[in-house]
Amino acid sequence: MTITALTLGMILSAYLAGSISSAVLVCRLRGLPDPRTQGSGNPGATNVLRIGGVSSAALVLFFDMLKGALPAYIAFRLGLDSVSLGIIAIAACLGHIFPIFFHFKGGKGVATAFGAMAPIGPELALLLMGSWVLMVLICRYSSLAAIVTALLAPFYTWYLDDRFVLPVAMLSALIIIRHKENIQRLLKGEESKFSRKKPPKT
């Protein structure tokens, strides 16, 4: 792979896009508590669901996925190779995890990573969402659902379009690494199960 100015520009752009914290902005606009100080402390859709309800969480999920999908899709349309696509998608996730605009305190990057995978095709997007929802319904652990879905993603991709197995595997590895502490808590039986709290009254 040759690192070109275009690739470097896309990596930087992806990181900056990922650094826009949808959870923090949506909560501010809706008069909700800062998700970094409430619930799990994770500025992501699952925590916003706990503190702000379905509509707020849906907005966060959409924009977090969009942060991953747009850079990956643009890079693909520009004809960049699969390794570059993976690095650009990871840059968007790293922006979400370590956002420069929000004191480098971000989320786990799950929605952004799955969003980066989504442009591969609607079938993959449906499989990813379906796997996550099914696992949450079965085990009630959001973290375990994300880990299992990340593990399945490369196999789904191999079946649907094997050109993108490498970048998807790179993203899956990042998701699993980000869930290291969750894995430790799951093994100890200390991980919190998913539950939705009613949003605070204003």
Side-chain angles (χ1 to χ4, degrees):
M1 181 192 73
T2 302
I3 300 292
T4 64
L6 175 61
T7 302
L8 290 173
M10 285 300 305
I11 291 170
L12 177 60
S13 298
Y15 171 77
L16 293 175
S19 290
I20 302 171
S21 180
S22 309
V24 174
L25 293 177
V26 167
C27 285
R28 285 180 183 174
L29 289 172
R30 296 205 158 190
L32 297 169
D34 191 321
R36 295 170 296 182
T37 62
Q38 299 289 319
S40 67
N42 180 54
T46 301
N47 198 33
V48 172
L49 177 63
R50 294 186 182 103
I51 65 176
V54 174
S55 62
S56 297
L59 283 173
V60 173
L61 180 64
F62 172 77
F63 286 113
D64 279 353
M65 292 185 71
L66 190 65
K67 292 189 303 186
L70 273 180
Y73 180 72
I74 292 171
F76 169 72
R77 296 296 298 176
L78 290 173
L80 298 182
D81 60 88
S82 62
V83 176
S84 296
L85 290 175
I87 294 172
I88 289 164
I90 286 174
C93 295
L94 290 176
H96 179 84
I97 296 167
F98 305 109
I100 192 172
F101 305 127
F102 293 88
H103 310 293
F104 300 98
K105 186 178 180 181
K108 293 189 179 297
V110 176
T112 303
F114 288 163
M117 300 177 193
I120 292 172
E123 298 91 349
L124 179 60
L126 288 173
L127 284 169
L128 294 174
M129 289 188 289
S131 297
W132 187 88
V133 170
L134 180 61
M135 284 302 302
V136 168
L137 293 175
I138 291 172
C139 67
R140 306 297 294 176
Y141 290 113
S142 176
S143 58
L144 182 58
I147 292 165
V148 171
T149 304
L151 288 170
L152 290 172
F155 296 98
Y156 291 153
T157 308
W158 173 78
Y159 178 75
L160 294 169
D161 193 336
D162 60 7
R163 293 177 300 166
F164 302 106
V165 170
L166 179 59
V168 167
M170 293 166 69
L171 288 168
S172 294
L174 177 63
I175 291 173
I176 294 168
I177 291 169
R178 281 291 291 166
H179 283 81
K180 178 182 177 181
E181 293 180 359
N182 301 88
I183 293 171
Q184 293 173 343
R185 289 195 295 268
L186 284 165
L187 292 174
K188 295 177 182 177
E190 299 173 353
E191 181 75 336
S192 299
K193 289 192 174 184
F194 176 83
S195 63
R196 180 192 161 193
K197 296 179 180 178
K198 290 183 179 180
K201 293 182 180 180
T202 56

